[in-house]
Amino acid sequence: MKKKTISLVLALLMVFSLLPVSAFAANTVQSGKCGDNLTWTLDDAGVLTITGTGEMTGHPWSVYKDSIKSVVIGDGVTSICYDAFSTCSGLENVELPDSLERIGGSAFSHCKALTEIVVPANVKALGEFSFYFCTGLKKAVILGSIEYIDGYTFDQCYALESVSIPKSVKSIWTSAFGACHELKEVYFGGTAWQWAAMSIDDFNDVLDNVTVYCALDYPFTDIADSGYREYISIGQAAGIINGYPDGTYRPNNPVTRAQYVTMLYNMCGKPDASGYEVSFNDTNTISASYMDAVKWGVAMGVINGYGDNTFRPNKDISRAEMAAFSYRLIKLIVGGEPTDELKADCSFKDSASIPNVHREAVNVCANLGIIQGFSDGNFRPNSTANRGQAATILVRVAASLGSDE
């Protein structure tokens, strides 16, 4: 059976190798110019691509608007003209370039299938009615340096739940968020004082009832809209975690094995590791900034290497490994074995995929409330852990060790 399967795969590969590229590539349906130095193409998959440099001066694709599913604007384009993609009711995805400086009025109005938009950092002007009546829009992130949010920008965006506003904004004009009744969270790049001083015009009553997270009220500039922000703040205050020189924490970045053991080491007060040594085959790949933590981790039994006697310090740590490192530290400090109740199966839907070597650690950490699964009931043990998750686990570990239970 195996031979037949391999033969079939090889046959298919040979057939695919003989097919022309056009058999896989989307075909251009329409094309033309939309600026002095801009061209556009619309393919049969509904992808509208705009390339070139300079300003957009027209939207000749409007006669095909019902076919447009995705818009990709290439780097070099500096502006989007008035009404550019208005009433493209099937538009689901928009990619805007860093070169963009201006988005014209009503540019994306009535794009009812659009669920998320990110306005790039160099945008200085966002025209009125830009996203008017985008009834499916749930999240808007404005990274630009605009000074005001123009009138009716997000008016009638009934599904809008969260919006990120840069600290450069000083005023919000008439009905910019009119009828955005689902809006619950605003992430503001300035201070609470700056938000309090914000000039907000009429028909923006929904802003009276939202939770406003001010970036500069947190220790890092990029965590206000992170679900891990409170844990990151506590971790930073406790000296467990550190950010980057530019003031960011980068909560969605992955964590390496060396970085996580260093966080555990910091949590324990950075004990003297001068008397410890490590003899991994890849010791020379361990950064000097992590070496003391790795030495301590090995000596305390918090971390182990692999069967080939490597530590792989720069390998992204998995969620299961993060639980294992944490569990070993808990056992070290508590000085005993957990109860059978704590070792009981954690009942994640994908618990069968938890490596046996990490199963007890995951079960105990889950039953202690240190780790949690996702909304779908899975733990995803082999997925890479990010910096936000790491901060959360570390703070929970510290809390569990500090409790009387």
Side-chain angles (χ1 to χ4, degrees), residues 15-310:
V15 170
F16 286 142
S17 69
L18 295 173
L19 287 174
V21 173
S22 60
F24 298 96
N27 296 312
T28 297
V29 176
Q30 298 292 337
S31 63
K33 296 196 68 175
C34 54
D36 291 341
N37 297 300
L38 299 182
T39 58
W40 65 277
T41 60
L42 176 64
D43 65 29
D44 56 6
V47 179
L48 175 64
T49 304
I50 300 168
T51 57
T53 58
E55 298 183 354
M56 183 189 299
T57 57
H59 45 90
W61 50 79
S62 59
V63 294
Y64 311 107
K65 60 186 178 184
D66 292 339
S67 302
I68 298 174
K69 305 295 183 185
S70 178
V71 170
V72 179
I73 301 179
D75 197 43
V77 179
T78 58
S79 73
I80 295 174
C81 69
Y82 175 84
D83 224 25
F85 308 103
S86 178
T87 66
C88 290
S89 58
L91 179 59
E92 300 174 350
N93 181 62
V94 174
E95 295 182 24
L96 302 178
D98 290 338
S99 59
L100 196 65
E101 298 176 0
R102 181 173 61 83
I103 296 177
S106 299
F108 294 95
S109 67
H110 293 84
C111 291
K112 298 180 180 181
L114 191 63
T115 59
E116 183 172 336
I117 190 69
V118 177
V119 178
N122 290 318
V123 171
K124 299 178 180 63
L126 192 59
E128 62 178 358
F129 293 94
S130 297
F131 299 97
Y132 174 77
F133 214 77
C134 289
T135 54
L137 189 66
K138 292 186 176 182
K139 181 178 181 180
V141 178
I142 305 172
L143 301 175
S145 52
I146 59 176
E147 294 187 359
Y148 58 88
I149 298 179
D150 212 335
Y152 307 93
T153 297
F154 296 101
D155 190 46
Q156 312 298 315
C157 291
Y158 304 127
L160 187 63
E161 298 174 352
S162 73
V163 61
S164 296
I165 299 174
K167 65 180 180 181
S168 57
V169 172
K170 304 295 190 296
S171 59
I172 297 174
W173 289 13
T174 302
S175 203
F177 295 99
C180 295
H181 300 303
E182 294 301 314
L183 186 60
K184 299 294 189 298
E185 298 176 324
V186 171
Y187 302 100
F188 179 56
T191 64
W193 180 87
Q194 288 172 317
W195 178 260
M198 182 79 67
S199 173
I200 301 177
D201 289 353
D202 293 340
F203 307 111
N204 288 298
D205 298 348
V206 295
L207 296 178
D208 295 335
N209 300 310
V210 300
T211 301
V212 179
Y213 300 97
C214 297
L216 297 184
D217 291 342
Y218 291 98
F220 304 108
T221 61
D222 61 341
I223 66 170
D225 59 351
S226 169
Y228 307 113
R229 56 185 171 269
E230 303 301 338
Y231 288 104
I232 294 170
S233 298
I234 294 169
Q236 188 273 341
I240 298 171
I241 59 172
N242 297 308
Y244 292 87
D246 63 358
T248 62
Y249 180 69
R250 306 175 197 175
N252 297 319
N253 278 16
V255 180
T256 65
R257 286 165 54 84
Q259 287 171 339
Y260 191 68
V261 71
T262 299
M263 292 175 179
L264 292 173
Y265 177 66
N266 292 344
M267 187 172 71
C268 292
K270 300 181 180 180
D272 181 17
S274 59
Y276 304 136
E277 296 294 334
V278 290
S279 57
F280 293 119
N281 291 339
D282 57 351
T283 297
N284 63 337
T285 66
I286 301 172
S287 168
S289 57
Y290 304 135
M291 185 59 78
D292 280 354
V294 174
K295 288 180 178 179
W296 166 84
V298 171
M300 296 296 106
V302 173
I303 60 174
N304 298 318
Y306 291 89
D308 60 358
N309 194 38
T310 60

Side-chain angles (χ1 to χ4, degrees), residues 343-385:
K343 291 181 180 180
D345 186 79
C346 52
S347 300
F348 291 122
K349 287 183 179 179
D350 59 348
S351 59
S353 65
I354 299 172
N356 287 332
V357 68
H358 302 318
R359 185 174 300 279
E360 182 176 305
V362 172
N363 285 338
V364 172
C365 286
N367 289 322
L368 283 172
I370 292 172
I371 61 173
Q372 297 176 357
F374 293 87
S375 58
D376 61 1
N378 291 310
F379 177 61
R380 304 175 197 169
N382 301 312
S383 293
T384 298

